[in-house]
Amino acid sequence: MDNSVMIKGNKYGLVIYVEESLTFSDAKKKIVKKLKECEKFYKGAALGVTFEGKKFTDSEERELIYTISEKSAVNITCVIDNDEFREAIFKKSVEKKVNDIDSNTGQFYKGTLRSGQVLESESSVIILGDVNPGAKVMAAGNVVVLGSLKGTVYAGIAGNPGAFVVALEMNPVQIRIGNIMGRCADKPSKVKDVSTKIAYLDGENIYIEPLCKEVLNDIKF
């Protein structure tokens, strides 16, 4: 029996143990295979995931989450740290931010938007998950995607030229800010760029640049 990858469920989500000797490629294949075998128990549920055993880089974790989302019906919304003290601080901070967003400036959405799904917001929206091709996000304010943006996104739909879009991985099919529609490349780049980017409107053009302090200082929100 192959126990190089083992998956257990708890009240918060899934614990995925990966043997340290496995290559990343083999680990990814085995994780997807294991999840597909038990996906009927988790189908449609929003789950957190903890990786144990083998250590993955941030980019490897993002790739694992994306692959799980694409290859199975399991909906992973976040990766949970094993450090209980750090996790408690993180949880407290996130809960405060979520409450602030919900009551004052926007909405907080946890989950991956799949093809055919549409998320609309009368203010700003933060998405903890991916926006897959065929999915659409429409917001009167800003859109922040803490994951991969590969669908369609409209920010500032009420005609707000100061709205912006931020994504950990920016590769939208179509993007619009205010009344300006941006054009995306017909073919995605073969080189995967996972740097966080911001899209903003300047005059009649939408610019997409790496998110940094200098860019934020130059943008007129």
Side-chain angles (χ1 to χ4, degrees):
M1 184 176 180
D2 184 4
N3 290 324
S4 57
V5 170
M6 293 186 290
I7 298 176
K8 297 180 180 180
N10 59 33
K11 61 182 179 180
Y12 299 110
L14 302 175
V15 178
I16 301 178
Y17 168 81
V18 180
E19 196 173 89
E20 293 183 2
S21 61
L22 286 181
T23 65
F24 176 69
S25 178
D26 286 341
K28 183 167 63 173
K29 292 177 183 177
K30 289 177 180 288
I31 289 172
V32 171
K33 183 175 183 296
K34 287 279 187 178
L35 285 173
K36 287 185 72 67
E37 291 173 354
C38 59
E39 66 181 0
K40 63 180 179 180
F41 298 108
Y42 308 111
K43 186 175 183 180
L47 303 170
V49 63
T50 296
F51 293 107
E52 294 185 350
K54 186 176 179 65
K55 301 297 183 184
F56 297 108
T57 65
D58 290 344
S59 61
E60 286 175 337
E61 285 186 352
R62 287 198 295 269
E63 186 172 339
L64 283 172
I65 299 305
Y66 176 76
T67 302
I68 290 171
S69 172
E70 290 296 302
K71 302 294 185 181
S72 75
V74 179
N75 183 13
I76 301 298
T77 61
C78 62
V79 178
I80 301 172
D81 199 316
N82 276 322
D83 187 314
E84 293 181 2
F85 178 71
R86 185 161 63 246
E87 187 67 20
I89 295 175
F90 175 77
K91 180 180 179 182
K92 184 177 180 180
S93 174
V94 168
E95 287 177 345
K96 182 179 184 303
K97 290 295 184 183
V98 170
N99 290 334
D100 289 345
I101 291 168
D102 287 341
S103 61
N104 296 321
T105 59
Q107 298 178 335
F108 187 90
Y109 178 88
K110 291 198 296 183
T112 293
L113 292 173
R114 303 179 187 280
S115 179
Q117 291 184 297
V118 178
L119 176 63
E120 297 184 54
S121 173
E122 295 181 356
S123 53
S124 295
V125 61
I126 294 178
I127 300 169
L128 182 58
D130 296 334
V131 179
N132 289 346
K136 181 184 293 186
V137 180
M138 303 174 67
N142 309 311
V143 177
V144 178
V145 181
L146 300 181
S148 298
L149 172 54
K150 298 185 177 182
T152 297
V153 58
Y154 296 166
I157 56 175
N160 176 14
F164 60 85
V165 178
V166 170
L168 296 185
E169 184 180 346
M170 181 82 74
N171 189 24
V173 172
Q174 190 177 78
I175 185 168
R176 171 182 157 184
I177 297 178
N179 297 318
I180 303 300
M181 187 75 73
R183 294 181 178 179
C184 300
D186 294 332
K187 295 182 179 180
S189 172
K190 293 182 179 180
V191 179
K192 187 174 183 179
D193 183 358
V194 293
S195 62
T196 303
K197 287 187 170 59
I198 182 169
Y200 62 95
L201 188 62
D202 188 359
E204 297 295 312
N205 297 304
I206 293 176
Y207 294 91
I208 298 177
E209 298 185 21
L211 182 63
C212 63
K213 184 177 180 180
E214 289 74 16
V215 172
L216 289 175
N217 289 337
D218 290 338
I219 297 175
K220 297 178 181 180
F221 298 124

